[in-house]
Amino acid sequence: KVVEQTYLKDKEDNLIGYRSGINFANHLGLTSQTASVDVVYSNVVSNRKREIKLNKSRLIINSPRVEVTNKNYKLLQVLDLLTEFEKYSEFDLKQAESKLLSYISGIKLSIEELNRIIEAYPLAAQVKFYKIGGSNVITQR
């Protein structure tokens, strides 16, 4: 709850952050592993990557590559996952494709916005994204 109020949503309930890492891969069903440390990317983080402790849980907080919005957070989550795909997934890319595409289907972004976001990620992640047909399921206006 504290994490959500501080790092994931603003006072108007707009998304300003998202969860990532192994726990997100687990949420999508790509791994049976879970981590005791949650990974969060948030617009309200000033410096890169730091670790904080809340009660008994640990949290790694990063600033995102692109500003997080209600419209783009799912795409950012998937691109983060693709950046370290081999580390997080128990499946190969072809097997994980349908789960990833299902998660991002229905996102509405313009081609320009989509390209701007994808270009902020490493080339290997970009290649994986295009290889699974990610740009085809993102609905254009």
Side-chain angles (χ1 to χ4, degrees):
K1 189 116 180 136
V2 171
V3 172
E4 190 169 306
Q5 289 174 344
T6 309
Y7 298 108
L8 302 180
K9 290 187 177 182
D10 65 13
K11 287 174 177 44
E12 290 81 46
D13 220 28
N14 293 311
L15 284 168
I16 56 166
Y18 58 89
R19 295 179 189 276
S20 190
I22 195 106
N23 291 336
F24 175 65
N26 177 281
H27 170 74
L28 288 183
L30 299 177
T31 182
S32 57
Q33 300 173 49
T34 57
S36 59
V37 180
D38 239 348
V39 178
V40 169
Y41 287 86
S42 179
N43 296 339
V44 296
V45 177
S46 55
N47 56 348
R48 304 272 301 158
K49 203 169 187 174
R50 67 172 188 244
E51 189 175 316
I52 61 169
K53 287 185 168 110
L54 290 169
N55 296 333
K56 293 185 173 98
S57 52
R58 290 175 29 221
L59 189 66
I60 293 176
I61 302 175
N62 267 322
S63 56
R65 295 171 192 264
V66 186
E67 185 179 355
V68 180
T69 66
N70 290 335
K71 290 187 337 185
N72 72 9
Y73 78 97
K74 285 185 174 186
L75 175 59
L76 299 178
Q77 283 178 304
V78 166
L79 287 166
D80 283 344
L81 183 63
L82 290 172
T83 301
E84 299 192 71
F85 185 77
E86 289 75 17
K87 179 178 163 185
Y88 293 139
S89 180
E90 294 171 4
F91 301 98
D92 65 27
L93 192 59
K94 194 75 184 142
Q95 293 170 307
E97 183 178 307
S98 65
K99 290 178 183 186
L100 295 170
L101 294 178
S102 170
Y103 186 72
I104 61 172
S105 69
I107 295 175
K108 292 176 176 28
L109 294 172
S110 67
I111 295 281
E112 296 77 22
E113 201 171 356
L114 177 65
N115 289 336
R116 182 182 61 79
I117 291 169
I118 293 169
E119 287 168 4
Y121 282 81
L123 187 58
Q126 294 178 34
V127 168
K128 288 175 191 153
F129 182 76
Y130 288 120
K131 199 174 192 177
I132 64 170
S135 56
N136 299 336
V137 299
I138 295 184
T139 325
Q140 269 61 33
R141 287 189 195 156

